[in-house]
Amino acid sequence: MNTKSARIVGILVSLFAIFYFGYQIYLFYDVPYELETATSYEYTDQIELHGIAIKDEQVIENTYDGIIRYENGNAQKLNTGSVIATVYQSEADLLNSDAVDKLNQNIAILSKLQTQKDFVISNGQSIVSNIKKQQMSMIYQIINNDFIGVSEQKDDFLIQLLRQQMILTPDTNFDEIIASLQSKAAELTAKITIEGTQIISPISGYFTNEVDGYEQVITKELLSDISLEQVQKILNETQPNFSSPKIGKTITTTEWNFLALVPTKDTSRLEAGDTVSLVFPNTSSYKVNAKIQTIDLYPDNEFSVILLSSNIMNEHIINLRVEDPSIVFDTTKALRVPKKAVFMKEITVEVEDESAASEEELSPETTPVPKTQTISQPGVYVSMGQVMKFKKINILDESDNYIICSIETKEDRDDYLQLYDEIILEGTDLYDNKPIR
């Protein structure tokens, strides 16, 4: 073979090698099906409700002319005769009065610390420990969007920081600061043209300035008839009533009820007398313990009726009305699978034959024949090397686009979908051991 022929053969061999290895790489990376990796998903086992909170409420009506300032936060326990709010004739008077109150509050804090100097210095270790605990508590509240709780702790945290300063600098003295604050308070007080008019609470209880108009139409008298028809009527047809001026309301007792529709298919998991955890959408990080009073079952209807009660009253609960909470059981790790990837496959399984003779009745020569049954098994097809395999799934729940299934970790559950399996999202004519390429 001459040099020219050898060169041509070499070029052809090189081109073939390039083509061959390029094709192999193409086959390796090119999959004719769209795949999605099965990943971990945090699944909350829950039952969704739709209902209404019923409380003992007394509306506080008052006609006022001016600008109102509420003196207490929502869910604050007030006694009869307590000051609910103060009405000012101008915004300037309100702002100045508010500033004076804050200055006087700081003066009171500093004055009290002055009298505790010896005690603070002798208890330095416990005070530093309290600061760390309070910091962690406030960080936790911020993470959970509990800004009301942070606001309630700010004065205590300021006191702890000032105590720490007194420990680090024993000659700390607040007299000059107190005198400056008193001078500023006197200056602002002189600017107030008309003193505010106080509104007094006519009854003791838990106060809130939010009025939704249902206070006089959603009452505990409704609990005398909690049929399905009546509950649906309450939820769909009840209209609020704003017939008179209201500055707030008082919840007279801590006990309240939640009357709701519950999916009939879920009622088998619930029983009267059980204590459950309720989570409301507006306070998703806060669980409310409630007791199931009654469950009225309507087997032929999509919904049944549940009545719950609780004796917890705070800022998370006091303004609840028409709500969609969930009864929460627990949170576990699961798998989330796109609905379009789920198929039903007819499989044969062994079942117990109750009519078969017991082992004692069988003769030595007799071999029991297992009974089988064909069922529709939900599952997905996964990519296993060069072929596809059908893997079962155990469905826990579903949404519009996804199926939630359990993670099967037992050794005998290899035929179930596993974490990090490559799921084939959709296709036609799928079957076990079908070549993928």
Side-chain angles (χ1 to χ4, degrees):
M1 182 182 297
N2 57 34
T3 303
K4 184 176 181 180
S5 298
R7 185 178 302 167
I8 293 173
V9 171
I11 293 172
L12 291 175
V13 171
S14 299
L15 290 174
F16 176 77
I18 293 171
F19 172 79
Y20 176 79
F21 288 110
Y23 181 67
Q24 293 301 315
I25 293 172
Y26 168 78
L27 289 178
F28 182 80
Y29 286 102
D30 178 61
V31 179
Y33 297 98
E34 185 181 355
L35 304 179
E36 182 172 311
T37 303
T39 55
S40 179
Y41 173 80
E42 192 170 84
Y43 168 69
T44 300
D45 185 12
Q46 60 187 15
I47 297 174
E48 296 181 354
L49 309 179
H50 175 56
I52 193 163
I54 303 175
K55 296 160 281 188
D56 287 317
E57 302 167 298
Q58 179 167 321
V59 174
I60 299 174
E61 299 180 357
N62 191 287
T63 301
Y64 62 89
D65 182 19
I67 303 172
I68 192 168
R69 183 186 76 179
Y70 290 96
E71 302 295 342
N72 301 279
N74 285 345
Q76 183 73 35
K77 178 72 180 290
L78 300 180
N79 296 319
T80 303
S82 298
V83 178
I84 295 174
T86 306
V87 179
Y88 295 90
Q89 296 305 305
S90 69
E91 184 178 358
D93 284 348
L94 184 151
L95 293 175
N96 287 329
S97 179
D98 189 51
V100 168
D101 287 347
K102 289 178 180 177
L103 289 169
N104 287 334
Q105 188 175 7
N106 289 334
I107 291 169
I109 289 172
L110 295 174
S111 299
K112 186 175 181 180
L113 286 173
Q114 289 278 65
T115 65
Q116 298 176 340
K117 186 172 183 179
D118 293 339
F119 171 80
V120 170
I121 294 175
S122 62
N123 290 273
Q125 186 173 355
S126 64
I127 288 171
V128 172
S129 176
N130 287 338
I131 289 176
K132 292 180 179 179
K133 290 179 181 178
Q134 199 153 17
Q135 281 179 323
M136 294 305 297
S137 175
M138 294 176 75
I139 290 171
Y140 176 80
Q141 289 171 327
I142 291 171
I143 291 173
N144 289 285
N145 298 320
D146 183 10
F147 299 111
I148 294 175
V150 174
S151 177
E152 290 174 348
Q153 288 198 61
K154 62 179 174 52
D155 286 341
D156 288 339
F157 189 55
L158 173 61
I159 291 171
Q160 298 296 339
L161 292 176
L162 292 173
R163 284 176 174 174
Q164 179 176 261
Q165 181 180 338
M166 294 169 70
I167 295 167
L168 298 174
T169 312
D171 60 348
T172 297
N173 188 292
F174 300 120
D175 289 342
E176 186 176 340
I177 299 175
I178 291 172
S180 174
L181 294 176
Q182 288 173 334
S183 175
K184 184 65 174 177
E187 180 184 338
L188 292 174
T189 300
K191 294 181 178 179
I192 299 175
T193 56
I194 302 175
E195 289 293 330
T197 302
Q198 294 181 334
I199 299 175
I200 305 301
S201 174
I203 191 172
S204 63
Y206 297 84
F207 178 79
T208 174
N209 59 16
E210 294 190 24
V211 179
D212 59 19
Y214 288 99
E215 290 79 11
Q216 293 164 324
V217 290
I218 301 296
T219 65
K220 289 201 170 181
E221 282 71 23
L222 294 175
L223 300 180
S224 60
D225 179 8
I226 55 173
S227 63
L228 178 62
E229 182 180 1
Q230 175 66 5
V231 174
Q232 290 174 327
K233 183 178 180 180
I234 293 171
L235 291 171
N236 298 327
E237 299 180 19
T238 304
Q239 298 297 319
N241 177 12
F242 295 103
S243 58
S244 57
K246 305 172 179 65
I247 67 163
K249 63 186 176 187
T250 297
I251 313 300
T252 56
T253 69
T254 59
E255 294 194 12
W256 55 282
N257 294 100
F258 192 75
L259 181 62
L261 301 177
V262 57
T264 300
K265 63 182 178 60
D266 294 323
T267 54
S268 60
R269 306 180 64 190
L270 305 171
E271 186 174 344
D274 287 350
T275 297
V276 296
S277 294
L278 285 179
V279 174
F280 291 86
N282 62 331
T283 56
S284 58
S285 62
Y286 181 75
K287 293 182 179 180
V288 181
N289 288 334
K291 183 178 180 180
I292 300 177
Q293 295 294 332
T294 60
I295 299 175
D296 293 332
L297 185 62
Y298 290 80
D300 298 328
N301 198 287
E302 181 182 359
F303 294 102
S304 292
V305 176
I306 186 170
L307 176 65
L308 302 106
S309 65
S310 178
N311 59 2
I312 299 172
M313 183 56 61
N314 55 38
E315 69 275 9
H316 300 293
I317 295 169
I318 195 166
N319 293 316
L320 296 177
R321 188 62 77 190
V322 179
E323 306 287 343
D324 295 316
S326 298
I327 296 176
V328 176
F329 295 99
D330 54 29
T331 300
T332 59
K333 294 293 184 182
L335 299 174
R336 189 173 69 168
V337 178
K339 271 189 174 180
K340 62 182 180 180
V342 177
F343 296 88
M344 300 299 294
K345 181 180 179 181
E346 298 295 320
I347 65 171
T348 302
V349 296
E350 292 186 5
V351 295
E352 292 185 7
D353 186 358
E354 298 180 357
S355 63
S358 64
E359 291 184 7
E360 292 79 5
E361 296 174 339
L362 294 172
S363 65
E365 296 81 14
T366 305
T367 301
V369 179
K371 187 176 180 180
T372 61
Q373 180 180 353
T374 300
I375 63 170
S376 293
Q377 172 66 49
V380 296
Y381 285 94
V382 301
S383 173
M384 301 285 287
Q386 301 294 319
V387 298
M388 62 179 65
K389 291 285 186 182
F390 180 81
K391 286 202 170 186
K392 305 174 188 176
I393 58 172
N394 180 23
I395 297 176
L396 299 175
D397 203 351
E398 63 180 277
S399 62
D400 291 340
N401 299 312
Y402 288 93
I403 295 290
I404 311 301
C405 56
S406 60
I407 298 178
E408 304 293 337
T409 57
K410 295 181 180 179
E411 293 181 1
D412 60 344
R413 292 301 179 98
D414 289 342
D415 57 342
Y416 279 80
L417 181 67
Q418 301 294 317
L419 190 63
Y420 305 127
D421 278 346
E422 293 291 332
I423 303 168
I424 298 173
L425 292 186
E426 56 187 335
T428 58
D429 193 29
L430 305 182
Y431 56 86
D432 270 331
N433 298 318
K434 179 179 180 180
I436 292 180
R437 299 182 179 87

